[in-house]
Amino acid sequence: LLHRWTTLAGLAEQDAADLIQEVFVILVRELPEFRYNPASGSFRGWLRTVTLNKCRERQRRRRIGQGQGG
């Protein structure tokens, strides 16, 4: 699931694998405190948001690193 989301976001295979590891680190840190609340959305929705935000962060860092910030 995570791999599909990262590749659909346009990441190369190696970048997708690296990003998935970053998402796992977040999961390990956040899951002990996670309490499911249907009113605030699904776990899968939260996971997708975390994954896509990490994708955006990575793309933003690349643009800034290439002098194309903004």
Side-chain angles (χ1 to χ4, degrees):
L1 185 63
L2 295 175
H3 184 266
R4 177 166 169 75
W5 288 339
T6 55
T7 54
L8 286 174
L11 294 180
E13 189 70 29
Q14 185 61 45
D15 290 334
D18 291 343
L19 190 130
I20 290 168
Q21 291 297 316
E22 292 177 32
V23 171
F24 284 153
V25 168
I26 292 170
L27 285 172
V28 166
R29 187 179 66 228
E30 299 293 329
L31 278 179
E33 301 301 318
F34 182 80
R35 299 292 176 259
Y36 179 66
N37 179 357
S40 57
S42 66
F43 173 77
R44 183 177 170 149
W46 175 82
L47 184 59
R48 185 170 192 271
T49 298
V50 169
T51 304
L52 294 180
N53 283 342
K54 292 303 282 182
C55 287
R56 291 179 188 115
E57 177 184 309
R58 181 175 288 253
Q59 291 166 342
R60 197 169 32 251
R61 280 186 303 199
R62 281 226 168 116
R63 282 194 308 270
I64 291 170
Q66 296 172 351
Q68 300 172 0

